[in-house]
Amino acid sequence: MSSTEKVRVRFAPSPTGYFHIGGARTALFNWLFARRHDGVFVLRVEDTDKERNTPEYLNLIYESLRWLGLDWDEGPFAGGDCGPYLQSERGDIYRAHLDKLRAAGRVFEKEGALFFRLEGERHTAYDEYHKAEIEKVKSAPVVIDDMIRGPVERVEERDFVLVRSDGEPTFHFVNVVDDITMGITHVIRGEDHLSNTSKHLHLYAALGAAPPRFAHLPLILKDRAHGQGKMSKRDKGALVEEYRARHYLPAAVRNFLALLGWSPKDDSEVMDIGEIIERFRLEDVQKSPARFDEKKMDHINFEHLKRLPTETYAWCARPVLDAAGVAGDDVEEDYLQRVLALCQEKVDSLANLPDFCAYFFTDDYREDEKARKKTLGKPDAAQTLAEVTETLEAVPAAGWNAATLGAAFESLAAAKDNKPFAWWPLTRFAVSGVAAGPDFLPMLEVLGRERVLARLNRLRGSLA
RNA sequence: GUCCCGUUCGUCUAGCCAGGCCUAGGACACCGGGUUUUCAUCCCGGCAACAGGGGUUCGAAUCCCCUACGGGACGCCA
């Protein structure tokens, strides 16, 4: 490719299963490269496996890519000059290219399938892997100039299938034909394709086309606890869909995925997408495989959550709270934001938010048994409760704020010759049912005088 | 079995290409301590790695070779 040629990359998923993290990472790196170089990101669907493709899986791919914010410039829905973008609709194009190969004398038929003929000396030998006598070809070595790994030399030694006996073209063939006809300049894909690339290079040569640059990404391995090998759709935490369902921020998932195999080379970790695009370089991608670490993913997610403006945080939280039955449309935006302002820096995930803040919205909240024992178990609990109630009742509605409440506890403490926070744990339990939560005084303020006093009295009543 | 790729703390990584600045830095996790309550925040501290062996060199995590280990591919799957 010439240096002035516009970058064109593609993500070419096959809708034969759930969309998983590995695929998402490949899509992300292609997208980042395209955005970084002001290029074009093409989405092409490799649906040549009629046996296993389903429309549901295809939809999941679209939805997951959209959720991650990986918008494609050409492809299904987006259109483009190189369509159609579903391989199942590109039969004519494949036939035309097959004719080219035929004319070049590189196609032969065997058992109803069409094979690509390698050039070179042939011999038969027993193959330990296939446990059979097979024909091998001494073809010329090809060199893959990989942008991540450097030059990789490989010798292809077996003819391979171009068109199956059922008439469907195979991956190797359509992949190369599409990359040529779609003007793809850089092929960025998983390392599992590295050894396929030599086949592809033979095809480019036979079709008289200049090959694109290649970049083979390290694979994502399973967590050790989940066994050996590359991550598969069946592994815990493997599905993009799962992160969406658990209310992770797409920005965080993107950020984490970018860090899986790529590094900005300084200590930056939490980055917005603009910064990632700006700093992304294929040359800085790791050569060795990475293991998926859910804890780190959670951490990145929390960091992104904390950085959100409260209004945005509230916008993200509302549907989650609603779905959990904690706060519906009837909750005022102002109150919601005041509550969330207290919770945002404390709660590590949106999934945990409803449980954390339910008592702000309902009187019928869950009570923590341990917290009850810890606070009410004390011999002077009733007395403490009475003192708090009396103190807080003396604070007028007009002056009900963290500062005034703090002062009220101060004077109570002074009168009883104790620290103000001697009354806090029990009060917290009385108004929230738990031992932990947002900062105490602001929590009382936001909860409001009415709720606080009602709950204190309710608890006192239940003790009597 | 053959071929290809890889190997820095438990994990993600910086450093390696341009050898000395590395008694190897950061982050997650974990452990300990602290914070006006809170075994979900925050702060401080700690633990912990150059796979092994040769070589080159005044000097190697960094360059070369071998071994071991890990991963991938070897499908009329993609």
Side-chain angles (χ1 to χ4, degrees), chain A residues 163-179:
Chain A
V163 180
R164 294 191 269 262
S165 49
D166 66 0
E168 288 298 317
T170 61
F171 161 74
H172 299 300
F173 180 47
V174 299
N175 188 269
V176 167
V177 169
D178 286 343
D179 284 342

Side-chain angles (χ1 to χ4, degrees), chain A residues 143-198:
Chain A
V143 177
I144 303 155
D145 184 20
D146 194 279
M147 291 174 77
I148 294 169
R149 282 149 224 282
V152 176
E153 186 179 287
R154 241 185 78 84
V155 175
E156 201 56 47
E157 54 180 19
R158 296 193 72 196
D159 299 323
F160 54 90
V161 176
L162 296 170
V163 180
R164 294 191 269 262
S165 49
D166 66 0
E168 288 298 317
T170 61
F171 161 74
H172 299 300
F173 180 47
V174 299
N175 188 269
V176 167
V177 169
D178 286 343
D179 284 342
I180 292 170
T181 53
M182 292 183 178
I184 299 304
T185 58
H186 299 258
V187 170
I188 304 167
R189 45 162 45 157
E191 197 198 332
D192 48 345
H193 286 293
L194 187 54
S195 44
N196 288 330
T197 306
S198 43

Side-chain angles (χ1 to χ4, degrees), chain A residues 87-106:
Chain A
Q87 289 183 332
S88 54
E89 299 170 5
R90 294 173 65 83
D92 292 345
I93 298 167
Y94 305 136
R95 272 185 285 278
H97 284 79
L98 186 66
D99 287 343
K100 269 178 117 172
L101 291 177
R102 257 202 195 101
R106 305 299 297 272

